[in-house]
Amino acid sequence: MKNEIMLNNSDLKIYSSVKANTVEEKKAVYNALEKCDVLLNDIIGTEINIKDFYIEERQRDEEDEATGEVKTVTKYRTILFDLDGKTYATGSYGVYNALRRICMVYGEPTWTEGVLVKVDKKPMGNGKSQLTLVLV
């Protein structure tokens, strides 16, 4: 039996607005994907001037606490890049959704001037809350 590493997974859905042409730019993107500077959940109320973003869609099995039923759910890993190159990570569906709406208004990145947003948390109506981005 031969061990193989799948390098081109056709099931993996990724969007990246980052244009990495030089070796240094490619290293910076790779390193951001491995370890971000800040978690969005830790900086609610903070403003970020977004230049680019990266979104990776993942399928994950989760157990329903009430029924015990296991369901496959879609999750989104999102990394924001600000004008200074600082990176911000979240798994929040609310941020993913906010970025989709921002792209409808501003078009797709790269936003050379940046798009200024504030990290916010909004109630979902079921006693839970969700991260989102508010335009500033």
Side-chain angles (χ1 to χ4, degrees), residues 2 35 52 62 72 78-79 81 85 87 101 122-123 132-133:
K2 186 172 154 184
K35 183 179 181 202
D52 286 295
E62 288 188 0
T72 300
T78 303
I79 300 172
F81 294 79
T87 56
R101 288 190 299 274
K122 65 179 180 181
T132 190
L133 303 173

Side-chain angles (χ1 to χ4, degrees), residues 18-66:
V18 180
K19 307 299 182 241
N21 298 313
T22 69
V23 171
E24 288 306 311
E25 290 170 334
K26 290 175 184 180
K27 284 180 187 178
V29 171
Y30 174 83
N31 287 334
L33 300 179
E34 289 300 309
K35 183 179 181 202
C36 285
D37 298 315
V38 180
L39 297 177
L40 281 184
N41 204 42
D42 294 342
I43 60 165
I44 295 165
T46 303
E47 293 180 0
I48 302 171
N49 206 349
I50 302 172
K51 180 181 179 191
D52 286 295
F53 60 86
Y54 168 95
I55 298 173
E56 183 177 314
E57 180 183 295
R58 297 178 174 181
Q59 302 297 317
R60 192 167 91 188
D61 290 337
E62 288 188 0
E63 185 176 341
D64 185 305
E65 292 177 13

Side-chain angles (χ1 to χ4, degrees), residues 66-78:
T67 65
E69 179 183 358
V70 176
K71 299 180 197 174
T72 300
V73 295
T74 302
K75 298 288 185 175
Y76 298 92
R77 176 181 182 220
T78 303

